[in-house]
Amino acid sequence: ILLLLLLFSVLVVEAAASDEQESRRLSWWREARFGLFIHWGLYAIPAGRWGDGSDHAEWIRHSAAIPREEYAELAALFDPEAYDPDRWCRLAKRAGMGYVVVTSKHHDGFCLWDSKHTTFDVGSTPCGKDLLEPLVEACRTHGLRPCFYHSIMDWYHPDYLPRRPWERDARPVADAQFDRYVEFLHAQVEELLTGYGDIGLMWFDGQWESTWNHERGQALYDLCRRLQPDGIVNDRVDVGRQGHSGRILEGYAGDYGTPEQQVPAEGLLGLDWETCLTMNAHWGWNEADQAWKSSDELIRTLVDVVSKNGNLLLNVGPRADGSFPPEAVERLEAIGRWMDVHGEAIHG
């Protein structure tokens, strides 16, 4: 009986230590409550238009059925002369945000840094320079946590499966090896988590296709925790996420749930969570999209989320030249004026 009691006490102590470590990892994020999401890449160049369509954005290669080689030609046009990461971060800080999550790579496979593992990145564009490093530095200058969004899907890589349904005939899969793609994915994540100092969190996406599974999700989560023990990883690293609700099935990897474009009616009891939300209708830049939410609506949404013990990750899709749309700037500044008075009701 004494041995059993001793074993039980050891397990209780270990569990308490584990809970304390998790609480410490998440403490800054729980305090911040409000972050900036940035969707930016080659898809900003057509600004939502392709052929007769004008409702495209970051999914344009899929939604407009653009062949791989034709889409890749956009890289020759990517030269964001108005890119000013210091201004981005000043606007985020002004709005009362505590962290910035930027698309290091979206589903199209294009990377905003000069990766050693692909040429489909900024290194092969007229810009020719790493765009993540100055943003990370600007985040730290303004007291923001730098964070990366990274897509598990990759429509450019020859080993990624499945292909888009409309390109299967043009891109045969006989030589594709998904395990080799996973090695590539891990290698790029390692670049991100060893090349930029402390990163607040990894925000994965694109985990819902049939080739991804729990074993691969757990391995990717473990890689992130090994490289950045104090970092946070969202639920989309694994396959336990339940639709857009943000719920996570027990036993799957992920530090918090990610409701998308919605606020759960009662929050997510017993779970850390973060609603990601667009200011208008698209994540990436679409010049025809005028469905902008009002500043009042965005502020009320922030209050609603925080009142239910959640975080709000509010998106901006910069234009191809690297500038924020004026409508987004106007809303960030309006939120900032409100936060000047009421910020203490949000943070923490």
Side-chain angles (χ1 to χ4, degrees):
I1 293 175
L2 288 174
L3 286 175
L4 288 174
L5 289 173
L6 179 61
L7 176 60
F8 178 74
S9 66
V10 169
L11 292 175
V12 168
V13 170
E14 288 180 348
S18 178
D19 290 345
E20 183 179 349
Q21 182 188 31
E22 180 177 344
S23 181
R24 180 175 55 80
R25 282 195 303 117
L26 288 162
S27 61
W28 69 264
W29 180 83
R30 290 168 175 164
E31 174 70 26
R33 288 299 184 208
F34 192 24
L36 177 65
F37 214 0
I38 296 173
H39 277 69
W40 192 41
L42 297 184
Y43 42 83
I45 295 172
R49 297 185 181 277
W50 200 273
D52 296 330
S54 61
D55 194 38
H56 306 289
E58 74 288 348
W59 276 71
I60 191 169
R61 207 204 134 213
H62 171 78
S63 57
I66 306 171
R68 177 177 182 265
E69 291 72 21
E70 184 177 354
Y71 184 81
E73 291 174 2
L74 291 174
L77 305 176
F78 191 67
D79 192 13
E81 296 179 350
Y83 177 49
D84 184 352
D86 188 75
R87 174 164 168 74
W88 286 11
C89 290
R90 279 188 281 112
L91 285 166
K93 190 70 174 180
R94 175 74 187 98
M97 293 166 165
Y99 56 110
V100 175
V101 182
V102 63
T103 49
S104 54
K105 182 194 78 168
H106 207 271
H107 307 328
D108 62 355
F110 179 77
C111 303
L112 289 183
W113 83 103
D114 191 3
S115 174
K116 298 176 182 177
H117 304 286
T118 184
T119 57
F120 194 46
D121 59 21
V122 291
S124 62
T125 70
C127 172
K129 59 186 178 183
D130 186 341
L131 297 176
L132 297 182
E133 184 176 5
L135 179 57
V136 168
E137 291 176 355
C139 282
R140 295 192 175 117
T141 296
H142 293 281
L144 302 164
R145 295 267 183 160
C147 310
F148 296 137
Y149 165 113
H150 200 73
S151 174
I152 289 170
M153 282 201 291
D154 191 319
W155 301 332
Y156 184 82
H157 197 281
D159 287 316
Y160 181 79
L161 297 170
R163 302 283 196 240
R164 300 297 91 198
W166 46 266
E167 68 171 354
R168 286 171 183 162
D169 292 339
R171 294 185 66 197
V173 301
D175 297 329
Q177 297 180 30
F178 192 76
D179 285 341
R180 190 163 57 196
Y181 169 73
V182 172
E183 292 177 4
F184 165 81
L185 173 63
H186 279 226
Q188 287 207 316
V189 168
E190 185 164 355
E191 279 188 312
L192 292 170
L193 294 183
T194 59
Y196 298 93
D198 291 338
I199 298 301
L201 66 87
M202 286 296 291
W203 211 103
F204 289 104
D205 196 20
Q207 80 293 346
W208 57 83
E209 298 205 290
S210 59
T211 43
W212 200 247
N213 57 34
H214 170 56
E215 180 181 8
R216 290 181 171 126
Q218 186 67 56
L220 185 54
Y221 178 87
D222 292 343
L223 173 69
C224 295
R225 293 298 312 282
R226 177 174 62 82
L227 295 174
Q228 297 252 1
D230 293 329
I232 308 171
V233 184
N234 75 337
D235 58 338
R236 303 189 193 193
V237 69
D238 202 347
V239 294
R241 180 173 180 262
Q242 298 298 286
H244 290 312
S245 70
R247 276 286 171 200
I248 308 173
L249 288 175
E250 187 174 351
Y252 289 84
D255 294 320
Y256 66 93
T258 54
E260 182 169 327
Q261 300 282 47
Q262 61 180 273
V263 180
E266 298 179 355
L268 296 178
L269 300 178
L271 179 68
D272 286 291
W273 61 279
E274 171 194 75
T275 284
C276 53
L277 185 75
T278 54
M279 284 194 185
N280 50 7
H282 294 82
W283 297 100
W285 170 237
N286 179 304
E287 63 183 354
D289 182 359
Q290 295 302 311
W292 293 93
K293 300 173 182 68
S294 70
S295 299
D296 282 354
E297 181 180 354
L298 294 174
I299 290 168
R300 289 179 182 275
T301 301
L302 173 62
V303 171
D304 188 21
V305 168
V306 171
S307 76
K308 296 168 182 172
N309 205 36
N311 282 27
L312 179 63
L313 186 61
L314 185 60
N315 183 74
V316 173
R319 296 179 291 198
D321 66 359
S323 61
F324 278 10
E327 296 87 347
V329 174
E330 176 187 336
R331 283 153 179 78
L332 290 172
E333 291 178 340
I335 294 170
R337 290 190 294 273
W338 184 89
M339 291 285 273
D340 285 343
V341 180
H342 304 290
E344 64 182 351
I346 300 298
H347 298 131

